[in-house]
Amino acid sequence: MSTDVPTADGQLRAFDVVVLFGVMAIWGLNFAVAKTGLEELPPLIFMALRFLLVAALLLPFAKRPHGQWLPLMAISFTLGILHFAFMFTGLTTLDAATAAIAIQLQVPFAALLAAIFFNDKLGWRRGIAMLLAFAGVAIIAGEPRLDGQYLALAFVIFAACMWSVASVQIKRLDPPVDGFTLNAWIAVFATPQLALASLLIEEGQIEALYAAGFWAYFAIVYQAVAVVVIGYGAWYWLLRRYQLNQVMPAMLLIPVFGVFSGIAFLGETLTANLVIGGLVTVAGVAIIIIRRPKATAPGTERL
């Protein structure tokens, strides 16, 4: 299916609004859920299991992407190793609320790369919006409580950049690959990469797998079933019914759900820097999404 050619462009129905908000809640709550799992499992083996379950669930329904094997392998490396591995390693140390806001820098990164690779005009408004997004994260980084966590924050920002690189790779697929096929084969290719990286870098992962409790494995199932199968299934369904600019603004709710999930479930503190920095970042992201939704539309898995 193509996410760029919806079959309807009318007003969102009440039921569809509920579905849209539900998807944003699922994706936003995942920051707290993932961090709970990372308290018991090392990040790379955690991600390997996540992708393994995604592959098992989606591969039976996926098409064979003839002629696209090498590009998909390249995308799996960008997403699996350079995006998710760095994102989850950073999330191990960083609080969920800060990560939920910092990862939104993937939107200005994506807009910048769209201008470079697809001749998408930036304009002064989006230029200012990009500066706002980065300034908001800088405000949050200035908090004393983040002292000693700057490397983790840098990992999350790097992961945001790599998500935008993967978006460019996905947009360059010719012919395009439908969403479930894309997620399925990326999961197939990313699983052994992450397992090998875990074997080379991490220690005690086998013992951690035996010792992990219910919530660690719940976090893996939540990501595979709720975030990918349910979340993306509903997202692609909405994109077949509505124009992209009708549903993309709802993605601004993801950091909101992410911040409050950290506060509600992990006992994180809502500080003045977090509120101000979050609002500044979301304002910058909002301008970019509203002015050029296609340049920042998600093409595959999110955190």
Side-chain angles (χ1 to χ4, degrees):
M1 73 189 70
S2 171
T3 60
D4 291 330
V5 186
T7 58
D9 59 356
Q11 293 293 317
L12 271 73
R13 297 185 306 169
F15 174 77
D16 298 339
V17 171
V18 172
V19 172
L20 183 58
F21 274 68
V23 172
M24 300 306 119
I26 288 172
W27 286 348
L29 292 173
N30 192 39
F31 289 92
V33 174
K35 191 164 179 65
T36 300
L38 292 170
E39 291 176 353
E40 300 187 59
L41 293 173
L44 297 180
I45 197 65
F46 182 90
M47 286 309 305
L49 292 174
R50 175 196 196 266
F51 276 113
L52 178 63
L53 184 54
V54 170
L57 292 171
L58 296 187
L59 195 58
F61 308 99
K63 302 173 185 176
R64 291 176 64 85
H66 298 289
Q68 302 282 29
W69 298 108
L70 288 178
L72 285 178
M73 288 180 187
I75 296 169
S76 73
F77 178 79
T78 303
L79 281 172
I81 300 297
L82 299 181
H83 171 68
F84 280 105
F86 276 86
M87 176 68 209
F88 277 67
T89 300
L91 187 59
T92 302
T93 304
L94 204 63
D95 61 276
T98 300
I101 294 171
I103 198 63
Q104 300 310 309
L105 292 180
Q106 63 195 15
V107 173
F109 277 131
L112 179 61
L113 291 183
I116 295 172
F117 290 99
F118 303 111
N119 297 317
D120 187 27
K121 186 178 179 181
L122 277 177
W124 66 269
R125 290 183 181 86
R126 284 202 297 161
I128 293 176
M130 293 169 67
L131 292 175
L132 280 175
F134 282 95
V137 173
I139 291 172
I140 297 171
E143 287 193 284
R145 69 188 181 90
L146 287 184
D147 186 37
Q149 299 183 29
Y150 296 120
L151 180 60
L153 179 60
F155 277 5
V156 173
I157 294 173
F158 177 78
C161 181
M162 290 303 101
W163 181 90
S164 67
V165 172
S167 295
V168 171
Q169 293 175 293
I170 292 166
K171 292 177 189 295
R172 285 189 158 186
L173 289 175
D174 187 20
V177 178
D178 71 85
F180 274 114
T181 297
L182 193 64
N183 277 290
W185 287 105
I186 286 174
V188 168
F189 296 137
T191 299
Q193 295 177 46
L194 286 160
L196 178 60
S198 175
L199 181 65
L200 295 175
I201 298 173
E202 296 176 333
E203 296 180 354
Q205 57 270 65
I206 302 302
E207 293 81 358
L209 289 173
Y210 281 110
F214 169 80
W215 291 110
Y217 289 104
F218 171 83
I220 294 171
V221 173
Y222 180 91
Q223 290 189 38
V225 176
V227 173
V228 180
V229 177
I230 297 175
Y232 265 91
W235 177 253
Y236 295 138
W237 178 75
L238 288 166
L239 288 177
R240 292 199 305 271
R241 299 173 62 84
Y242 300 101
Q243 298 290 341
L244 189 58
N245 59 3
Q246 290 179 282
V247 295
M248 275 295 290
M251 297 192 72
L252 298 170
L253 293 173
I254 294 175
V256 177
F257 283 116
V259 168
F260 283 101
S261 68
I263 295 169
F265 301 113
L266 302 178
E268 296 175 358
T269 304
L270 186 65
T271 64
N273 282 53
L274 186 65
V275 172
I276 296 170
L279 290 174
V280 172
T281 297
V282 170
V285 170
I287 295 171
I288 297 171
I289 286 179
I290 291 170
R291 292 192 63 81
R292 289 289 192 279
K294 290 185 179 181
T296 56
T300 186
E301 293 189 71
R302 298 181 62 85
L303 169 70

